[in-house]
Amino acid sequence: MGQTPRMLQPSLSERHFFGAELRRLRERANLSQARLGTMIRFSADLVRRVETADRFPSREFVEACDRALAAGGALTRLLPLLEGSRANEGMRTASPSGPTNAGSLLAAQAEETRGVADMVVRVPFQPGVLDRAALDWLNASAGPRLSVAGRAGSPDQVREEDLDSAETALAMFRQLDHTHGAGRIYAQVQRYVERELNRLLASPPASEAIGRHLYTLAAGFFELCGYQAVDTGAHGLAQRRYLRALRLTQAGDDRLFGSYLLAVNIGHLALHCGHPEPALRMALTAVRGSEPQATPAVTAALHAVVARTHARLGHEGDCLTHLDIAERHLARSKPEDEPSWIRYFTPAYLADEIAHCFHDLGRPQQTQRHLGEALTELSPTHVRRLAIDTALLASSLAAAGKIDEACATAHTAVDHAARITSHRCLQRIVEVQADLEPYRCEPEVRELSDYVRQQLPLAAL
C-alpha cells in the first residue's frame, strides 16, 4: 500500500505554492510521481521533494513538467516568483545566526522594513478627498472603449496568457499575505507591480476584452497593495493605493468591483482611521451605485460596512437594520454565481463583521457569540484574522469582567500575532492590554504583560 501523500500548505511560501500546483496538475493528469519523473527524465524522488517544498525546482524541471502536464505555461509563469524567493532565502541563510524567539524575530523583521515604513507612514490619510472620488465614481458613465494599439500579432501586445500569469501571482500573494502579514511580503508584491504589472499596463491589449480584464486585474493588485499598506500602518499610502484601484475599475468598466473598493476597502480604512461619517458616505454611495448589478454576496458585504459605520456612530437601530439586510442577502448567495474576489465572504466573515458591530455597541455577550462562529470557520492559514479576532474576543471578555478568560484568550492572540508581521495585529494586542489596564494588579494581567514583552516586544506597554 502506498504512503498517504503529505498535506501541502500552499500559503507558506512561493515554493510551497508551486509544490501544491504541481501536485494538483499531476493528479489531474492521473500520473504518479514515478510516472511523471520518467516522462520528464527526472527522478521520482525529486518530483516528491519539489511537491513537498523540500527542494527548489530548476528551470529545466519546471519547463519539462509544464510540457508533460499540458499546463499551458501555468508552471513556467511561476518561475520569476520562485527565483525571487530562492534569492531571498539565500540572503537569509548567508546572514549571521538570527533571533531565537518569535518576539525578537518580529523585531528583526520590523527593523528590516523600517526604512520604507518610516517614509510612507508619514503620508497622511485625507478623508476630505473621498467624497469627490465617490461622486466621480457614482456619476461616471460606462468606461471608455479601449483602443487596441499595435499591429495584430505584435509581441508587445498583452494576451490572455499574460493575464493568466498575473492572476496566478495575485492569488499566491493573497495567500502569503493572510499567513505572514504585509511585513513579510510587501516588498515582493511591490517588485512584481513595478516590474511586471506596470509593463503590462504600458503595453497595448490584444483586444478590448483583454484590456478590460487587465484593468480589473490591476485593480486587484492595487487593492492588495492598499490592504498591505494598512497592515504596515501606512494609512495615507493605503488611501492612494485604493483610489488608484478605484480608477482602474472605472477604466475597465467594472462597476461591481468598484463598489466593493469604495465600501469595503475605502470605507473600512476611514473607519480604521477614526472617521465613521465619511466611511458611511462611501458605503452608502457604493450601495446606491451598484444596485442594478450587485450579487447577493457583494450586497451583503456592502451593507455589512454600512452597519459597521452605524455601530461606530452609536446608531444601534440602523446598524441592526443593515445587518439584517446583509444576512438575508448572503443566505441567497451561490458561490458559483459570485465574482471570484467576493467568494471569501462567507457566513463566518459576516459573523466577524457582526461581532465588531456589537463590540462597538458595547454588547459583549453578542460579540463573543459571533466571534465564536467566525473563529470556528476560519482557515488556520488566515493567521492575521485569527490573531485579530482572538484579541477582540479577549477584549470582549475583559469588558464582561471575565479577567481570567480574557487573559487566557489574549495569550492565544499573542501566539498568533507572533507568527505574523502585521501592524494591525500589534495594534490589537496593545488594545487588549489597554482594556485590561483597570485590572493591572491582578496576577493574570501581570503575567500577560510579561508574556507580551517576551513574545511581542513591539506591542508591550
Side-chain angles (χ1 to χ4, degrees), residues 136-155:
D136 288 346
W137 174 82
L138 184 63
N139 293 327
S141 58
R145 293 185 67 83
L146 301 162
S147 61
V148 184
R151 181 171 53 84
S154 173

Side-chain angles (χ1 to χ4, degrees), residues 19-358:
E21 281 295 287
L22 176 59
R23 177 181 288 179
R24 180 183 67 82
L25 291 168
R26 176 179 61 77
E27 291 178 346
R28 186 186 70 179
N30 199 28
L31 295 175
S32 66
Q33 292 172 339
R35 177 58 182 155
L36 176 60
T38 300
M39 292 172 67
I40 63 175
R41 299 186 180 182
F42 285 90
S43 69
D45 183 62
L46 180 60
V47 174
R48 177 188 62 79
R49 295 177 71 185
V50 170
E51 285 189 1
T52 54
D54 293 326
R55 279 282 301 272
F56 271 107
S58 66
R59 174 175 288 274
E60 293 75 17
F61 178 94
V62 173
E63 291 175 346
C65 287
D66 212 317
R67 289 191 298 270
L69 297 172
L75 294 176
T76 305
R77 289 192 289 268
L78 289 170
L79 267 171
L81 301 171
L82 281 171
E83 289 165 355
S85 177
R86 190 205 305 263
N88 289 339
E89 288 199 16
M91 290 172 60
R92 286 198 293 271
T93 304
S95 64
S97 42
T100 57
N101 63 61
S104 52
L105 176 60
L106 183 63
Q109 291 163 350
E111 184 68 35
E112 184 179 324
T113 58
R114 187 167 294 158
V116 175
D118 282 348
M119 287 187 290
V120 299
V121 80
R122 296 190 183 96
V123 178
F125 174 73
Q126 297 175 298
V129 308
L130 296 180
D131 289 315
R132 178 58 186 268
L135 189 62
D136 288 346
W137 174 82
L138 184 63
N139 293 327
S141 58
R145 293 185 67 83
L146 301 162
S147 61
V148 184
R151 181 171 53 84
S154 173
D156 63 340
Q157 284 188 326
V158 180
R159 295 174 173 79
E160 278 294 345
E161 53 265 31
D162 298 311
L163 302 186
D164 290 343
S165 177
E167 284 188 325
T168 299
L170 180 58
M172 185 197 69
F173 285 137
R174 287 194 189 282
Q175 287 197 24
L176 295 175
D177 179 74
H178 283 307
T179 303
H180 301 294
R184 287 276 295 277
I185 68 160
Y186 181 78
Q188 296 163 251
V189 177
Q190 290 300 305
R191 279 197 299 271
Y192 187 90
V193 169
E194 291 164 6
R195 296 174 185 174
E196 297 297 326
L197 184 65
N198 285 342
R199 177 184 63 80
L200 294 177
L201 288 170
S203 302
S207 70
E208 185 177 333
I210 288 175
R212 287 195 300 270
H213 185 182
L214 170 60
Y215 283 132
T216 295
L217 181 59
F221 268 100
F222 280 99
E223 185 258 347
L224 174 60
C225 290
Y227 193 81
Q228 291 192 311
V230 175
D231 204 31
T232 57
H235 303 138
L237 179 64
Q239 179 182 20
R240 285 154 178 78
R241 294 288 188 258
Y242 286 154
L243 290 176
R244 174 80 186 275
L246 185 65
R247 290 192 294 271
L248 283 163
T249 63
Q250 290 176 255
D253 196 20
D254 193 336
R255 190 78 166 174
L256 204 54
F257 192 24
S259 70
Y260 176 88
L261 286 162
L262 197 60
V264 178
N265 293 110
I266 298 174
H268 268 145
L269 175 61
L271 267 181
H272 186 72
C273 294
H275 298 279
E277 292 88 354
L280 179 57
R281 293 195 295 273
M282 297 306 102
L284 288 174
T285 301
V287 170
R288 177 184 171 191
S290 64
E291 281 176 342
Q293 53 186 289
T295 62
V298 174
T299 301
L302 302 186
H303 281 278
V305 181
V306 177
R308 287 285 300 272
T309 62
H310 280 303
R312 190 68 61 84
L313 290 165
H315 304 159
E316 183 169 337
D318 290 329
C319 171
L320 296 178
T321 296
H322 285 279
L323 286 180
D324 181 63
I325 295 171
E327 288 182 299
R328 285 190 285 108
H329 277 276
L330 190 59
R332 297 194 297 105
S333 175
K334 296 179 180 178
E336 63 272 17
D337 296 333
E338 299 285 350
S340 59
W341 44 263
I342 196 63
R343 290 175 190 165
Y344 78 91
F345 198 80
T346 62
Y349 267 84
L350 180 56
D352 171 90
E353 296 280 17
I354 296 171
H356 278 82
C357 288
F358 282 125

